[in-house]
Amino acid sequence: MRSRRDDYSESTRAALVKSAVRLFTERGYAGTSLDEIAKRARVTKGALYHHFSGKQAVFEAAFDEVESDVKGRLEKILSGPEPPWDRALNGLREFIGSCLDPAYQRLALQEAPVVMGWARWREAEDRYSFGLIKQALQDLIDAGEVLAVPVEVTSRLLFGALCSAATEIAHSTDQRKVGDEIEDVVVRLLNQVRRPAADA
């Protein structure tokens, strides 16, 4: 059984992560202090250090929170009752919509590559996004919607393209327009490997 102390500890950590997401989104990593994170969460700085070793650890927890939220929504769509092709397109639209979210933009796309280092950031993106892309592609092949392309290589290409697309949206002055253009291009690319019978 869980104790009250466990519940309090969990709620304290959740409040700190929520505070960190908000502040890192508004001010960025460099512009946010641990004192501010603790203050907004209404806990002491000592309580913060009970859960996190330092500022980077807090950031990585905030990053995981934002990424997990996006992954959860995508998993729900990709495991839905619709045909695989429709699920894939709905998942694409959801991902592009996530790229318009300020928290995802700031933490996952702008700050994380610098704070975590490019290699660790790509490993994290791999963990959160690549598996979903690979499974969605495998579902399309199994359903006869697309040609039997090499799953690993094709998933890597799609993963790279979507990572670049997300960064492009985040740095654009007209994000919605760029998002619509990216959706159109990716759908066109997917149609290149769609089976003619499925397309008809």
Side-chain angles (χ1 to χ4, degrees):
M1 290 184 62
R2 291 174 57 85
S3 67
R4 285 186 178 180
R5 177 175 290 183
D6 290 335
D7 290 337
Y8 177 74
S9 179
E10 186 176 297
S11 65
T12 299
R13 189 184 188 281
L16 285 164
V17 172
K18 182 178 180 180
S19 171
V21 169
R22 186 75 176 268
L23 287 167
F24 285 137
T25 300
E26 293 172 356
R27 306 179 189 179
Y29 183 79
T32 300
S33 70
L34 292 178
D35 287 323
E36 291 171 316
I37 292 172
K39 182 178 179 180
R40 175 167 284 197
R42 297 183 178 180
V43 302
T44 65
K45 196 171 179 181
L48 185 150
Y49 277 114
H50 175 75
H51 291 280
F52 303 103
S53 59
K55 187 175 175 181
Q56 181 160 337
V58 177
F59 176 85
E60 292 185 14
F63 168 83
D64 286 339
E65 179 76 10
V66 170
E67 285 281 12
S68 295
D69 182 56
V70 173
K71 182 181 180 184
R73 295 200 303 270
L74 289 173
E75 284 178 331
K76 185 176 181 180
I77 291 170
L78 294 175
S79 62
E82 297 81 6
W85 182 261
D86 293 338
R87 294 202 305 263
L89 295 189
N90 290 338
L92 172 63
R93 294 184 186 104
E94 178 62 36
F95 175 74
I96 291 173
S98 297
C99 292
L100 299 174
D101 176 67
Y104 187 78
Q105 280 187 14
R106 190 71 183 262
L107 275 71
L109 303 178
Q110 297 174 356
E111 299 284 349
V114 178
V115 177
M116 299 168 63
W118 191 85
R120 286 192 63 229
W121 171 68
R122 283 306 296 264
E123 286 176 8
E125 288 298 308
D126 212 59
R127 187 171 67 251
Y128 282 112
S129 306
F130 178 69
L132 295 177
I133 294 170
K134 188 175 179 179
Q135 187 57 56
L137 179 60
Q138 187 65 61
D139 289 346
L140 288 171
I141 293 172
D142 292 345
E145 291 275 5
V146 301
L147 301 173
V149 295
V151 175
E152 184 75 22
V153 172
T154 307
S155 298
R156 286 287 171 195
L157 290 172
L158 288 170
F159 174 63
L162 289 173
C163 285
S164 296
T167 303
E168 187 69 22
I169 291 171
H171 291 91
S172 172
T173 56
D174 192 343
Q175 295 178 354
R176 193 162 296 280
K177 178 174 180 288
V178 171
D180 289 343
E181 290 173 346
I182 286 170
E183 179 184 336
D184 180 63
V185 170
V186 174
V187 171
R188 286 170 184 252
L189 290 172
L190 288 174
N191 273 311
Q192 295 302 307
V193 294
R194 196 177 190 195
R195 286 186 180 277
D199 193 32

